[in-house]
Amino acid sequence: PPSLLFLQVEQVKLLDRFSTSNKSLTGTLYLTATHLLFIDSSQRETWILHHHIAAVEKLPLTTSGCPLVIQCKNFRIVHFVVPRERDCHDIYNSLLQLSRTAKYEDLYAFSYNPKQNESQQVKGWQLIDLAEEYKRMGVPNDYWQLSDANRDYKICETYPRELYVPRTASKPIIVGSSKFRSKGRFPVLSYYHKNKEAAICRCSQPLSGFSARCLEDEHMLQAISKANPSNRYMYVMDTRPKLNAMANRAAGKGYENEDNYSNIRFQFVGIENIHVMRSSLQKLLEVSGTKGLSVNDFLSGLENSGWLRHIKAVLDAAVFLVKAIAVESASVLVHCSDGWDRTSQVCSLGALLLDSYYRTIKGFMVLIEKDWISFGHKFSDRCCQLDGDPKEISPVFTQFLETVWNLTEQFPQAFEYNEAFLLQIHEHVHSCQFGNFLGNCQKEREELKLKEKTYSLWPFLLDEQKKYQNPLYNPDFSPELTLLEPNTVSFNFKFWRNMYHQFDRSMHPRQSVFNLIMNMSEQNKQLEEDIKELEAKIKQRNGQPDAVLLKEHKQPSHPAPMTLKSPPCFKKEQPLIPVNDAVRTIEGSNTADNRYSEFVEEFSKAEPAVVSLEYGVARMTC
Amino acid sequence: MEFAELIKTPRADNVVLHRPFYLAVEGTLCLTGHHLIFSSRRQDNAEELWLLHSNIDSIEKRFVGSLGTVVIKCKDLRIIQLDIPGMEECLNIASSIEALSTLDSVTLMYPFFYRPMFEIVEDGWRCFLPDQEFELLTSVTDEWRLSCINKEFSVCSSYPPVVIVPKSIDDEALRKVALFRHGSRFPVLSYYHKKNGMVMMRSSQPLTGTNGRRCKEDEKLINATLRPGKRGYIIDTRSLNIAQQARAKGGGFEQEAHYPQWRRIHKCIERFNILQESLIKLVEACNDQSHNMDRWLSKLEASNWLTHIKEILTAACLAAQCIDREGASVLVHGTEGTDSTLQVTSLAQIILDPRCRTIRGFESLVVREWLQAGHPFQQRCAQSAYSNSKQKWEAPVFLLFLDCVWQILRQFPCSFEFNEQFLIMLFEHAYASQFGTFLGNNENERSKLKLPQKTMSLWSWVNRPEELSKFQNPLFEANSLVIWPSVAPQSLQLWEGVFLRWNRPSKFLDEAHEEMINIIKYNKELQAKVNALRRQLAEMETDERMQENL
């Protein structure tokens, strides 16, 4: 259905983000209820979902019009110049309103209609079943059981209803322990390693202050350590820097005193808090968005942002956790302050390193559902789904995806999914197009009736999983429960160009080996089919020499005409997957490829002066 | 033999070899005139390490009791450690290695002793002769001639005996121009752009000095390369400041007044010791695994290596842009015209000319633009990143060029016939080799050393099908277009294949690469099979039709 058109402005210029000479495309800008759409003179479309807009800025009027800069949560930055200031003002105001949603029901997911019937919708939501997942891990068992303590969200509002705890942890212990933990987030099972019989548990910080104790909480930890017959010592990992944890004591919170808990080994791992991470990303984006950036400014900017240091800290923490389980068969209890940011990062990455299931497409969905969605990572607050406190925004989940990406770089054959999968998930964490990531916890999601009113992202990703498959994936590379041991020496961590410059095509390699191999392995499957078919035909002819001659009419395949002006179900521009079906298309040899011809255009302008020549190269740098 | 005098302890037992990411191995160490050989005795897993003495960049020794340890740092950036029992043996071996790896006479180098175990199909010394190159040129233009003016290296000692110059300029004029250019390196043809007939020339700086000397023949020569009414660009690889300072030492740059048809652009590329220091710092940063993130990034930055890469690539893009986009001819020079000049002219050709992206074409480019053009390989590659001696002639000029090629290869992975291994192989052989190709500083020295008679050419070995297959890029598909690389810092990467090669286990990356090659191979097989089956089916159909018609 054609979306409601609010505004249409002609003769708008879309500037090249990195161009020093204000190179631009001219076209028409449309504002709909859900998207901002720009169609340039050669009919290329740029869609921007309102929910993706992080900031809109109106710059001072210039001779060519009124500049409007839009920053998106998927790191796209578009720079329009609107001829009339009035129009610009209208767009600006509309975008401000449309990108700031006051209540969940106004989010795109509630109006998004992928033309599915109710049973498809229900089935879609059933695709990921966490009870099934715990069964796969091997719980319940002799040591671990499903607890009904939180069945009505009475003990902890931000936890899921179904929680797994040691069999020996009685209800009073659970209740007592939850009262001694921030937001009632008492220690529960996150992952169970059936070979080692060791568990990853998670919780929030204890309300220990300078000296407070809680016997039930001490019993709870003891129950966890006793639930592991292989090693009675357990690790308690506080993922915060020690200083932060100590400061929390003054507020009646804090960390476990080793003297009060028997058989624990306490360890700080020093991941910074959400505010540090937010400003770190801000710095990173400032650097990477600079025009005419020098190598040294880039590297020192990268260093000063601290971004890669944080990514390394997160992976180092996960490696610490994994070692405890894999080497010492010891259970580990992970927490930070509230146990929904750093704890989610470390628990999910730890499980990913320990269990090859999470390196499959389906398994990764399960992992996100379990450690992020069900355990109450505050997606709504962190991704600013509703107009709220900007201090709650933080790229914690982005860091998780980036750490996974770094692992895929080190272990190119260990993951069933590719970079496009990670980028697509990142896209939809912010798009508010599907229900999965809406809200801050399960209770809230149930109240919003998301399963009835919205759709789940996962079946859509599974439907097009061909796009997300890693052609180099080797399932034999990591049989069940094969440990990944990443190298965390600093030089292994790289700037994720395809995330932060996803939409800046000129910075990317002009030919992608990955796409080529992906298409080729896809083609190989087709060829195998062809061979079977041909062999059957030959066999048939050999068997029946008098067979009637069947002339084959091969239908030339017409590409389905693109339906214009309906918002893309999925991101229209999927930069990692070429739309072209030719396996070996060299970008640039194809005149239809605008990216390259655009690039060539820059040089073909007659600019004999030396100065403009220099600019020519400067432009080329971007 | 002289070597025997240098080898006091030719053999030591119970030596333990340590390499990063491998288990320590015990075995026997042998020293020969040109090699350090380590062989482990373990029957199940016999292993031999052959190391050319000329590959050794530096050696350190230390003792714990009577157990000596020798740390050997190689020019290919590898570091190995040998534990040698017995103080005397260890001292002897260390001093032998030190002496043998720093022989000062070229004729004692291994290429003069190396006898190939393979059959020579094609003598590399006879490939890539200037006449062949000129023949290609004459098929598209007759504006150029081959001059033998430098036959006995009498005009320019760093030029080859024959060079390509404008037809309208006679040898007499060339002699005068040679006097006006640093080291007599008068402007010669480097590249002819078939698409539009524009050319790239290279030379050294003009000797204008402080009083602005001029040379009519020089002006005539370079103007002879311009089409009527056309302008050209002079790309000076020094900053304006440095070019101006050069006048005090007799050098200088082309004054606009005397070269009105030319526009001068200064694109500063660093040289000599600055580049060498950059390499040393980079390798130091890469070798220290204990660096935290901030320290690693700041060390990487401080090395300036990627800045140099960006500068060189940018200058090359500029030259290519002038030729292809502006339709103008270009003259490139710095001071001597033997280093940054060659980086720019050779990279511009890779951007512009698809032929240079083939294996043969790239070899030819290295021969023309580096070996024959007189890049002083022996001086520049005498030491690599671990050298202690502060000699001033070493510089990783060629390595930077290879790194730039790698950067372009990364951005256009299907447009090159060769792979990364090919570039790494050239890096290794430029610094230490059994072949004579990279010995000497110019053709003059190579001819005096009688290298073609006395040594084997690297190309004779590389171009054999068995070797070649290792260097072929399975993704290659000829791309006739000009390829413009991105030089944004976000697009440039550390060349891990060289700089992190010995610093991290590469098993998983290698296996993935193998898998990739398997997919490509399998694809080819399947396609062949489908075609064969289709043909078979078509034949059957025709037979049936014929039978029906009968």
Side-chain angles (χ1 to χ4, degrees):
Chain A
S3 306
L4 204 64
L5 188 65
F6 289 170
L7 257 173
Q8 177 174 347
V9 186
E10 312 282 343
Q11 290 295 311
V12 172
K13 280 191 184 132
L14 173 61
L15 299 192
D16 185 311
R17 180 180 172 194
F18 289 101
S19 170
T20 44
S21 63
N22 290 347
K23 186 172 110 57
S24 67
L25 295 165
T26 305
T28 307
L29 196 61
Y30 302 89
L31 187 70
T32 76
T34 53
H35 290 79
L36 184 68
L37 167 62
F38 178 79
I39 303 183
D40 67 25
S41 49
S42 49
Q43 296 304 310
R44 266 175 305 174
E45 299 168 20
T46 306
W47 290 88
I48 295 165
L49 188 63
H50 297 327
H51 296 319
H52 267 152
I53 296 175
V56 196
E57 202 185 344
K58 222 172 68 165
L59 301 182
L61 193 68
T62 68
T63 47
S64 55
C66 192
L68 187 71
V69 180
I70 301 172
Q71 283 180 52
C72 300
K73 294 172 185 172
N74 57 7
F75 308 117
R76 186 204 279 269
I77 293 180
V78 281
H79 194 147
F80 290 117
V81 177
V82 184
R84 291 191 309 170
E85 194 181 7
R86 213 203 136 97
D87 288 334
C88 185
H89 193 72
D90 286 350
I91 299 171
Y92 174 77
N93 281 338
S94 308
L95 285 179
L96 275 191
Q97 275 182 354
L98 291 165
S99 63
R100 286 181 191 164
T101 315
K103 55 183 208 290
Y104 286 114
E105 284 79 0
D106 293 337
L107 292 173
Y108 186 31
F110 288 87
S111 63
Y112 173 63
N113 180 1
K115 300 195 183 72
Q116 280 194 345
N117 62 36
E118 212 172 293
S119 85
Q120 282 173 306
Q121 187 179 19
V122 171
K123 254 179 83 183
W125 279 111
Q126 286 166 346
L127 182 72
I128 306 296
D129 179 356
L130 290 185
E132 218 25 68
E133 167 58 10
Y134 285 100
K135 219 184 278 171
R136 188 196 66 85
M137 291 179 202
V139 289
N141 58 20
D142 291 350
Y143 299 102
W144 295 88
Q145 67 177 6
L146 178 65
S147 157
D148 62 0
N150 202 41
R151 203 173 43 200
D152 304 313
Y153 297 117
K154 282 210 176 114
I155 294 183
C156 176
E157 290 202 328
T158 58
Y159 266 174
R161 288 176 190 273
E162 284 167 4
L163 293 166
Y164 292 81
V165 293
R167 277 194 191 276
T168 53
S170 64
K171 184 114 184 232
I173 289 180
I174 291 174
V175 173
S177 168
S178 80
K179 286 190 177 140
F180 189 64
R181 293 276 168 180
S182 241
K183 311 276 192 313
R185 295 171 67 93
F186 63 97
V188 295
L189 182 76
S190 160
Y191 176 76
Y192 179 75
H193 195 288
K194 55 185 168 206
N195 289 4
K196 302 282 180 189
E197 300 178 294
I200 302 177
C201 295
R202 55 184 293 169
C203 61
S204 60
Q205 64 185 336
L207 305 176
S208 51
F210 290 101
S211 59
R213 292 181 63 164
C214 169
L215 279 179
E216 289 91 341
D217 193 63
E218 289 161 23
H219 279 139
M220 186 75 201
L221 264 64
Q222 204 163 21
I224 292 172
S225 71
K226 279 187 179 158
N228 179 349
S230 319
N231 189 337
R232 60 194 194 94
Y233 278 100
M234 70 180 278
Y235 283 92
V236 175
M237 270 176 84
D238 190 328
T239 55
R240 300 168 294 182
K242 188 173 181 183
L243 221 65
N244 298 19
M246 283 169 65
N248 262 301
R249 291 199 298 189
K253 299 164 187 172
Y255 53 93
E256 290 80 357
N257 182 344
E258 261 177 310
D259 300 338
N260 299 341
Y261 293 84
S262 45
N263 302 333
I264 72 160
R265 287 179 189 152
F266 186 85
Q267 178 74 38
F268 286 112
V269 291
I271 302 174
E272 298 289 351
N273 66 25
I274 57 165
H275 311 294
V276 174
M277 300 309 190
R278 179 178 58 246
S279 80
S280 169
L281 179 65
Q282 198 51 46
K283 284 181 201 155
L284 180 81
L285 295 178
E286 268 165 36
V287 173
S288 68
T290 309
K291 280 184 188 179
L293 187 64
S294 76
V295 172
N296 282 354
D297 285 348
F298 175 62
L299 290 174
S300 67
L302 196 57
E303 181 197 337
N304 290 336
S305 77
W307 185 254
L308 292 180
R309 171 159 47 88
H310 300 315
I311 300 291
K312 177 169 151 57
V314 170
L315 186 57
D316 275 330
V319 168
F320 178 88
L321 180 157
V322 161
K323 271 191 185 146
I325 291 190
V327 179
E328 299 180 50
S329 298
S331 291
V332 184
L333 175 64
V334 183
H335 71 73
C336 44
S337 297
D338 292 318
W340 49 44
D341 293 307
R342 292 167 270 206
T343 301
S344 294
Q345 287 178 330
V346 175
C347 290
S348 56
L349 284 167
L352 182 95
L353 292 173
L354 285 167
D355 192 332
S356 32
Y357 176 62
Y358 301 124
R359 295 169 226 148
T360 64
I361 288 179
K362 178 92 184 282
F364 195 62
M365 296 172 178
V366 168
L367 186 66
I368 292 172
E369 279 285 344
K370 177 170 69 74
D371 274 313
W372 292 87
I373 295 173
S374 90
F375 277 117
H377 172 67
K378 302 203 289 175
F379 278 106
S380 177
D381 289 357
R382 298 291 176 261
C383 304
C384 196
Q385 292 170 352
L386 300 182
D387 198 18
D389 183 0
K391 287 211 173 78
E392 282 286 312
I393 302 172
S394 189
V396 176
F397 187 73
T398 306
Q399 289 182 320
F400 163 68
L401 292 177
E402 183 160 337
T403 314
V404 175
W405 172 75
N406 269 295
L407 291 170
T408 64
E409 289 282 290
Q410 267 194 51
F411 302 96
Q413 294 194 273
F415 292 81
E416 191 192 7
Y417 41 89
N418 60 23
E419 188 182 39
F421 186 59
L422 302 176
L423 292 176
Q424 189 68 282
I425 292 172
H426 184 260
E427 181 86 5
H428 284 294
V429 162
H430 293 95
S431 73
C432 302
Q433 187 172 351
F434 297 91
N436 308 62
F437 304 105
L438 300 192
N440 284 321
C441 59
Q442 295 295 57
K443 182 166 178 269
E444 203 174 3
R445 286 181 197 111
E446 284 174 21
E447 285 162 4
L448 288 167
K449 298 197 167 49
L450 290 178
K451 292 195 179 178
E452 292 151 50
K453 295 183 174 169
T454 72
Y455 294 85
S456 166
L457 168 67
W458 310 125
F460 291 86
L461 292 183
L462 269 189
D463 269 356
E464 46 176 43
Q465 63 172 307
K466 268 186 191 169
K467 279 198 205 168
Y468 308 124
Q469 264 160 0
N470 169 12
L472 302 178
Y473 175 56
N474 178 6
D476 304 333
F477 175 90
S478 43
E480 203 191 1
L481 298 179
T482 303
L483 176 69
L484 285 191
E485 294 177 87
N487 182 335
T488 63
V489 176
S490 299
F491 56 56
N492 290 292
F493 295 86
K494 279 170 246 162
F495 173 72
W496 194 2
R497 185 179 54 205
N498 287 353
M499 173 64 97
Y500 302 103
H501 291 292
Q502 197 182 160
F503 300 95
D504 306 312
R505 294 306 308 169
S506 61
M507 271 183 197
H508 296 252
R510 306 273 184 246
Q511 297 166 325
S512 158
V513 174
F514 199 82
N515 288 350
L516 214 89
I517 297 299
M518 205 152 87
N519 289 338
M520 217 176 254
S521 81
E522 198 52 46
Q523 196 195 42
N524 285 356
K525 284 180 205 150
Q526 183 57 45
L527 286 169
E528 281 170 350
E529 289 298 311
D530 290 355
I531 287 172
K532 264 188 221 153
E533 211 176 290
L534 286 165
E535 281 175 341
K537 277 185 192 164
I538 289 169
K539 204 173 162 194
Q540 194 187 4
R541 277 173 199 278
N542 284 337
Q544 298 164 277
D546 298 328
V548 190
L549 219 105
L550 278 170
K551 280 214 174 133
E552 272 176 69
H553 295 282
K554 268 220 167 160
Q555 201 79 33
S557 56
H558 290 292
M562 282 281 216
T563 37
L564 287 177
K565 300 211 180 60
S566 75
C569 158
F570 271 63
K571 192 171 43 173
K572 195 131 210 159
E573 193 180 339
Q574 179 49 267
L576 293 166
I577 319 294
V579 221
N580 206 314
D581 53 11
V583 168
R584 290 189 146 227
T585 306
I586 291 175
E587 273 190 48
S589 64
N590 185 345
T591 42
D593 195 307
N594 45 57
R595 271 174 244 136
Y596 193 83
S597 50
E598 216 174 82
F599 197 62
V600 173
E601 265 166 41
E602 291 186 0
F603 295 93
S604 53
K605 284 181 202 147
E607 289 170 347
V610 176
V611 180
S612 66
L613 247 183
E614 300 264 349
Y615 277 140
V617 167
R619 265 183 273 135
M620 183 161 49
T621 65
C622 322
Chain B
M1 263 304 286
E2 299 160 65
F3 294 129
E5 292 164 23
L6 296 174
I7 306 171
K8 283 175 211 141
T9 303
R11 179 194 157 116
D13 290 320
N14 305 321
V15 173
V16 179
L17 169 70
H18 301 268
R19 288 164 296 178
F21 312 110
Y22 287 92
L23 290 175
V25 203
E26 196 186 286
T28 302
L29 180 72
C30 293
L31 290 187
T32 72
H34 294 105
H35 285 96
L36 176 155
I37 304 159
F38 176 88
S39 64
S40 87
R41 294 165 175 186
R42 279 168 40 204
Q43 289 293 315
D44 52 329
N45 194 13
E47 215 179 324
E48 267 187 13
L49 173 85
W50 288 65
L51 196 64
L52 262 180
H53 291 316
S54 58
N55 189 7
I56 295 171
D57 207 24
S58 82
I59 167 166
E60 288 158 23
K61 48 186 185 286
R62 50 173 189 262
F63 291 93
V64 179
S66 69
L67 180 73
T69 292
V70 176
V71 177
I72 294 173
K73 298 183 176 180
C74 302
K75 289 175 188 165
D76 62 14
L77 309 182
R78 161 173 37 174
I79 297 177
I80 60 168
Q81 183 189 319
L82 296 166
D83 295 341
I84 303 166
M87 191 181 276
E88 198 189 330
E89 283 86 347
C90 184
L91 278 173
N92 283 345
I93 285 168
S95 69
S96 298
I97 293 173
E98 210 152 358
L100 290 165
S101 60
T102 52
L103 296 174
D104 45 12
S105 166
V106 182
T107 53
L108 290 177
M109 303 288 270
Y110 187 50
F112 287 92
F113 298 82
Y114 171 69
R115 292 292 161 261
M117 303 288 277
F118 58 86
E119 194 196 343
I120 296 147
V121 186
E122 184 190 12
D123 183 359
W125 290 114
R126 284 168 213 271
C127 306
F128 318 118
L129 298 175
D131 325 28
Q132 295 164 359
E133 202 55 40
F134 185 66
E135 236 167 79
L136 287 175
L137 183 68
T138 47
S139 65
V140 285
T141 171
D142 59 355
E143 292 166 350
W144 298 84
R145 71 184 182 92
L146 209 53
S147 166
C148 299
I149 185 176
N150 201 35
K151 205 161 74 191
E152 307 291 331
F153 304 101
S154 53
V155 175
C156 172
S157 63
S158 63
Y159 266 175
V162 282
V163 287
I164 301 172
V165 292
K167 202 172 210 169
S168 57
I169 306 297
D170 61 21
D171 282 357
E172 215 29 63
L174 289 181
R175 261 182 251 281
K176 287 185 181 149
V177 178
L179 293 174
F180 183 64
R181 291 278 171 177
H182 189 118
S184 306
R185 293 173 67 92
F186 53 89
V188 295
L189 181 78
S190 161
Y191 171 66
Y192 181 89
H193 197 45
K194 274 187 222 157
K195 197 166 122 193
N196 59 11
M198 294 300 128
V199 297
M200 180 160 57
M201 290 179 303
R202 53 174 160 76
S203 68
S204 58
Q205 64 175 346
L207 303 174
T208 55
T210 36
N211 46 18
R213 256 182 75 204
R214 61 189 284 195
C215 168
K216 285 270 161 56
E217 288 78 7
D218 189 81
E219 293 159 22
K220 201 177 152 212
L221 192 164
I222 71 163
N223 285 338
T225 66
L226 292 178
R227 296 278 156 81
K230 280 277 196 178
R231 281 181 153 186
Y233 290 93
I234 295 171
I235 296 177
D236 193 323
T237 62
R238 304 164 294 181
S239 69
L240 178 61
N241 204 9
I242 292 175
Q244 278 167 343
Q245 285 168 12
R247 290 190 298 196
K249 292 181 198 155
F253 52 87
E254 293 82 356
Q255 298 286 342
E256 310 236 320
H258 303 152
Y259 299 84
Q261 286 158 282
W262 294 82
R263 279 290 171 101
R264 214 178 55 245
I265 305 172
H266 291 274
K267 272 277 154 197
C268 181
I269 295 176
E270 290 297 349
R271 52 208 74 221
F272 302 133
N273 54 332
I274 292 177
L275 299 180
Q276 185 66 12
E277 251 167 58
S278 172
L279 174 68
I280 291 171
K281 280 187 191 161
L282 175 69
V283 171
E284 229 171 58
C286 291
N287 284 354
D288 193 337
Q289 312 253 332
S290 69
H291 285 328
N292 65 28
M293 187 58 74
D294 290 358
R295 197 155 169 76
W296 156 246
L297 288 172
S298 74
K299 286 241 168 188
L300 183 62
E301 181 199 343
S303 79
N304 279 323
W305 185 264
L306 287 169
T307 299
H308 300 315
I309 296 287
K310 185 177 155 89
E311 279 169 359
I312 296 164
L313 271 176
T314 306
C317 286
L318 182 72
Q321 188 191 7
C322 290
I323 293 169
D324 189 67
R325 293 283 138 213
E326 305 296 327
S329 284
V330 171
L331 169 67
V332 184
H333 71 71
T335 306
E336 290 95 344
T338 54
D339 295 281
S340 56
T341 304
L342 305 181
Q343 288 172 328
V344 173
T345 58
S346 54
L347 285 167
Q349 291 181 55
I350 284 172
I351 293 166
L352 293 169
D353 187 359
R355 191 169 66 109
C356 294
R357 298 172 221 145
T358 64
I359 292 181
R360 279 294 279 220
F362 190 76
E363 290 171 358
S364 160
L365 181 78
V366 169
V367 172
R368 266 185 290 129
E369 292 297 302
W370 290 89
L371 291 162
Q372 291 171 356
H375 174 66
F377 275 100
Q378 199 168 306
Q379 289 181 346
R380 298 288 179 264
C381 302
Q383 300 257 260
S384 145
Y386 303 120
S387 64
N388 304 319
S389 62
K390 285 267 180 271
Q391 286 174 301
K392 59 176 178 176
W393 300 116
E394 283 88 7
V397 177
F398 188 63
L399 176 57
L400 276 161
F401 158 71
L402 293 176
D403 195 334
C404 288
V405 177
W406 179 79
Q407 304 282 350
I408 306 176
L409 172 68
R410 289 272 311 187
Q411 296 188 27
F412 295 88
C414 309
S415 300
F416 289 81
E417 194 192 0
F418 51 86
N419 59 16
E420 178 180 2
Q421 288 312 312
F422 186 65
L423 299 173
I424 295 174
M425 179 274 295
L426 287 174
F427 157 60
E428 290 174 339
H429 283 278
Y431 280 85
S433 177
Q434 66 268 45
F435 304 107
T437 300
F438 291 107
L439 291 184
N441 288 309
N442 48 51
E443 293 294 272
N444 188 7
E445 289 187 22
R446 284 182 202 108
S447 130
K448 280 182 187 145
L449 289 166
K450 295 197 168 54
L451 292 178
Q453 295 82 28
K454 293 187 171 170
T455 73
M456 182 60 49
S457 161
L458 172 67
W459 316 122
S460 305
W461 172 72
V462 170
N463 288 334
R464 291 155 57 247
E466 309 87 297
E467 291 305 321
L468 220 45
S469 66
K470 290 180 206 156
F471 302 127
Q472 273 157 349
N473 174 8
L475 296 168
F476 176 59
E477 193 173 80
N479 172 5
S480 61
L481 292 165
V482 175
I483 52 174
W484 301 107
S486 161
V487 295
Q490 293 97 321
S491 303
L492 301 177
Q493 284 183 312
L494 176 69
W495 189 4
E496 298 175 9
V498 165
F499 299 108
L500 300 182
R501 183 179 178 189
W502 314 103
N503 298 335
R504 52 160 200 199
S506 62
K507 181 171 169 274
F508 300 126
L509 300 179
D510 295 345
E511 283 172 359
H513 187 75
E514 225 165 85
E515 175 62 18
M516 191 188 88
I517 288 171
N518 286 340
I519 292 174
I520 299 168
K521 269 191 194 153
Y522 187 48
N523 184 266
K524 284 186 182 140
E525 276 167 32
L526 288 176
Q527 285 197 351
K529 192 160 182 198
V530 166
N531 287 338
L533 288 172
R534 286 217 172 107
R535 226 173 296 129
Q536 195 186 342
L537 196 64
E539 274 165 23
M540 290 170 99
E541 280 174 4
T542 349
D543 286 351
E544 278 165 25
R545 229 171 285 142
M546 279 165 71
Q547 277 174 358
E548 270 172 35
N549 291 344
L550 276 175

